[in-house]
Amino acid sequence: MNILQALFFPPEQPGGVSSMVPYITEKFNKRGWDMELFSLPRRVRGKGTEPVTFNTFDWTRYAGNPIVDKYIQTYKDYVWWTKLRIRKSYDLIHAHHPIAALAIKEVFPDTTVIVTVHSSYEGELLLNGKIEEGGPEQLFLTSIYGEMEARLDQILTVSNSFKGYISEFIQDPDRIGVIPNGYDEKRFRPISHENEVAQLITVCRLVPAKGLETLLQACAMLKERGHPFVLHIIGDGPSRTELEELAKELNLYEEIIFYGYMLHPEEFMPFFDVFVLPSKAEAFGSVFAEAALCLLALVGTNVGGVAEQIENGRNGLLVEPGDAPALSQALEKVVVDPTYRYQLARAASEKAKKSYSLNRVIRQLRGVYERYGK
């Protein structure tokens, strides 16, 4: 079977979709499948000029909005690049972004196209304060779900909770399949180490949706109670300056290290003890599974796919988003008790190996491809 894996932008960093899809492609190719990667280069901007028409709603009612116009131009660019670069036919195309899926279906209307929706783009914009509830951007982006239902052959997503979210915007929720992300254990694996002081780590884009101000507040409480720790923050983003200032205000300068963007955090992660990320929302939360495979204790929030990965008190700890005191108490449990920390980490690792292996994803996707492919 000849299959195209269509990403939105090229994979540039490990972790999550950006590296999972290339690894899936590699695994299928080794098994004798004919599979290729395709994506829109970041240098391609403003090339597409063909008009865009959707079947289920009139997007022009939102025209003139900068975010909507950017999505529409990206759609045009994806169509332009696809027509320019792809000269062959495929039995099936698997896209990993709504815009990529709809654009490529326009170019190949008679080819089976399935899409995996990996996150809520409108949800991220809302949490990051970029758009308002009920505004034109949210209405446009949520209307895209109905357009996918009308034009694509299959919709997949990465968690049951996110399936429930998407179901509100389509006619037949039973059409949505769930295939959680998977990871290669060879890339994410523990390394024997012993830290005298508990080492906490978080890896994420520095934006309000990740709740890092709550984490800093929780760490300040932890310090006030006399518990030593070091927090390592890997990632960059628009909130970095604000977070660095907050760290100084909370007297955490000695306890926190801001690394900025790091190309291969999985090589660094196994030397720490606790992974913590108090996100306000997560469709899946790939980095939790990655940290579990590195044998770190997990501390997260009771949201989305994170809550599906962590059973509170068994393979990690969950708190409500925005609750700094509760987060501080959870961190205290794993900071002061290395034995308990190890028990949580071991249970998290066992679940990750069982539930989030790349081989499991390959098996599930194979079933989908064989069902829908020619």
Side-chain angles (χ1 to χ4, degrees), residues 121-328:
Y121 306 98
E122 67 280 358
E124 293 175 8
L125 290 168
L126 282 167
L127 290 172
N128 290 329
K130 301 295 185 181
I131 65 175
E132 295 183 0
E133 185 80 34
E137 304 94 340
Q138 184 186 29
L139 295 175
F140 168 79
L141 289 168
T142 53
S143 295
I144 291 292
Y145 296 123
E147 184 71 10
M148 290 193 302
E149 180 184 25
R151 291 172 54 190
L152 304 181
D153 298 276
Q154 173 69 59
I155 300 174
L156 301 172
T157 190
V158 293
S159 68
N160 289 308
S161 63
F162 194 46
K163 174 181 177 177
Y165 170 79
I166 296 177
S167 296
E168 299 179 13
F169 306 106
I170 70 172
Q171 298 296 316
D172 184 8
D174 290 337
R175 285 194 57 199
I176 304 175
V178 178
I179 299 181
N181 291 339
Y183 309 93
D184 192 339
E185 293 178 38
K186 295 178 181 178
R187 294 178 57 232
F188 301 96
R189 53 186 178 184
I191 295 176
S192 179
H193 66 282
E194 190 170 329
N195 296 315
E196 185 175 345
V197 174
Q199 303 293 307
L200 318 181
I201 183 173
T202 192
V203 182
C204 66
R205 180 164 163 75
L206 306 189
V207 292
K210 298 303 181 181
L212 293 185
E213 67 256 11
T214 301
L215 175 56
L216 296 191
Q217 292 163 0
C219 285
M221 298 174 189
L222 195 63
K223 181 178 180 179
E224 289 176 0
R225 294 199 292 273
H227 301 300
F229 65 91
V230 178
L231 172 63
H232 305 259
I233 299 178
I234 296 178
D236 213 338
S239 296
R240 178 168 178 172
T241 300
E242 180 183 339
L243 290 168
E244 289 177 336
E245 290 299 319
L246 180 59
K248 294 176 183 177
E249 293 173 12
L250 294 173
N251 191 30
L252 291 172
Y253 183 80
E254 299 294 333
E255 285 79 21
I256 296 182
I257 302 174
F258 287 87
Y259 290 80
Y261 171 77
M262 183 176 291
L263 182 59
H264 291 288
E266 78 274 20
E267 297 177 357
F268 204 42
M269 193 181 296
F271 294 98
F272 299 95
D273 303 303
V274 178
F275 179 82
V276 53
L277 182 60
S279 301
K280 298 176 183 178
E282 291 283 355
F284 180 73
S286 299
V287 71
F288 283 92
E290 296 167 358
L293 290 171
C294 293
L295 201 59
L296 274 65
L298 307 178
V299 180
T301 40
N302 188 24
V303 296
V306 178
E308 293 182 25
Q309 293 184 61
I310 299 177
E311 181 182 341
N312 187 43
R314 194 192 73 81
N315 66 334
L317 298 174
L318 289 174
V319 300
E320 294 304 314
D323 191 339
L327 180 58
S328 181

Side-chain angles (χ1 to χ4, degrees), residues 84 119 264 305 342 349-350 374:
L84 180 68
S119 64
H264 291 288
Y342 178 78
S349 177
E350 290 174 355
K374 293 180 180 179

